[in-house]
Every structure is written in structure tokens, then in C-alpha cells.
Amino acid sequence: MEITLEYWNELAKQTILISSLLSGFSIAIVANLLVSDRNDKLTNRILIFSTLASGCFLVTVFAMIQISMTTTPGGYLKNVTTNDFIIPRIIGLTTFMIGLFSLTTMIALSGWTKSKKIGRFTTIIGIITLLLIFMTMTKVNL
């Protein structure tokens, strides 16, 4: 089954919106950690995952903008096929998934800065969140 160009256009628009919001959230976390006085191993790992998430979501935004521009009716390209945006599709999907994984890892690690009890809770929430996201992104019949 071939996905239509109109569907790709709408998918790109929705992905731009989601990635923009998640990137902004991740960048805010990075900024807060950069001005923080904490410089321990755990905080640095959270900073790494936050930076990775924000970078990946930004790349996703621009990959999806390329798809949106390519698939917009009356746009700058004529006679467009899905082969015309294979690279942005691969880059966009890959960076979006890495961004989601990094963001949920950041959530899972965040509680460990407070206590073991909160750390266990946030780890469980991070794992459940990632599983539910992946379940909603794939066709899962329960």
C-alpha cells in the first residue's frame, strides 16, 4: 500500500508540531542544567540525554519541513513521488525515535537526583512511557 503525498504532507506537519514542542522542552532542560551548580555524573548524563533529545528533535523538524515543502500541492517541485524525499524520511524517522528514547531516558534518570525511591518511580514511569509511545506508533492489537 502506497501512502499518498497528501498523507505525507499532513504527517510531516503533525511531526513538525510534536518535534518542535519536544525540542523546546528538551532545550529548556538543557538550559536549566547548564546554569545549575551541580556537576555530578548523573546530572551530566541527564544533560547528555537532554542535549541529544533536543538535537534530534530539531533535525526531525527540518527533515519534516523538507517533506512538507516537497509534498505541498503547487509547491516548488512538480511530479513529486515518494522517492523524492527518501533521505528526509529516513533522517526524520530515525532522529525522532532517538529523540523519544533520549527524552524518556532523561525522565527515567531525573528522579535519581533526589532519592532511590523517586529514582525507581521515575524509571518505571520512563519505561512505561516509552512502551506506550511505541505501542501507539505501531499497529498493536491487544
Side-chain angles (χ1 to χ4, degrees):
M1 181 176 121
E2 176 117 6
I3 298 176
T4 65
L5 295 179
E6 292 81 15
Y7 185 82
W8 275 112
N9 189 275
E10 283 301 314
L11 183 63
K13 289 177 187 176
Q14 293 300 314
T15 307
I16 290 168
L17 176 65
I18 293 167
S19 297
S20 297
L21 293 171
L22 293 177
S23 178
F25 172 74
S26 299
I27 291 169
I29 299 298
V30 169
N32 281 323
L33 289 174
L34 287 176
V35 298
S36 169
D37 291 335
R38 293 184 64 135
N39 195 20
D40 55 73
K41 194 175 184 180
L42 183 58
T43 303
N44 289 338
R45 285 188 179 152
I46 294 170
L47 177 63
I48 288 168
F49 282 109
S50 301
T51 304
L52 182 60
S54 58
C56 284
F57 288 131
L58 281 175
V59 171
T60 301
V61 167
F62 287 99
M64 293 299 129
I65 286 172
Q66 177 65 32
I67 292 173
S68 178
M69 290 173 55
T70 302
T71 59
T72 298
Y76 69 96
L77 290 178
K78 304 296 180 208
N79 302 321
V80 175
T81 66
T82 55
N83 292 333
D84 294 329
F85 49 91
I86 287 176
I87 300 295
R89 280 175 28 200
I90 293 169
I91 292 171
L93 178 63
T94 303
T95 56
F96 187 75
M97 298 308 282
I98 293 170
L100 284 176
F101 182 75
S102 299
L103 185 63
T104 55
T105 302
M106 177 189 66
I107 291 168
L109 290 175
S110 65
W112 293 98
T113 61
K114 296 294 180 190
S115 69
K116 285 184 179 182
K117 185 178 179 181
I118 299 296
R120 287 184 195 113
F121 175 76
T122 57
T123 299
I124 291 168
I125 293 301
I127 291 168
I128 291 171
T129 301
L130 189 62
L131 289 174
L132 291 174
I133 289 170
F134 287 152
M135 283 176 60
T136 60
M137 292 179 72
T138 60
K139 185 178 179 180
V140 177
N141 295 320
L142 298 176

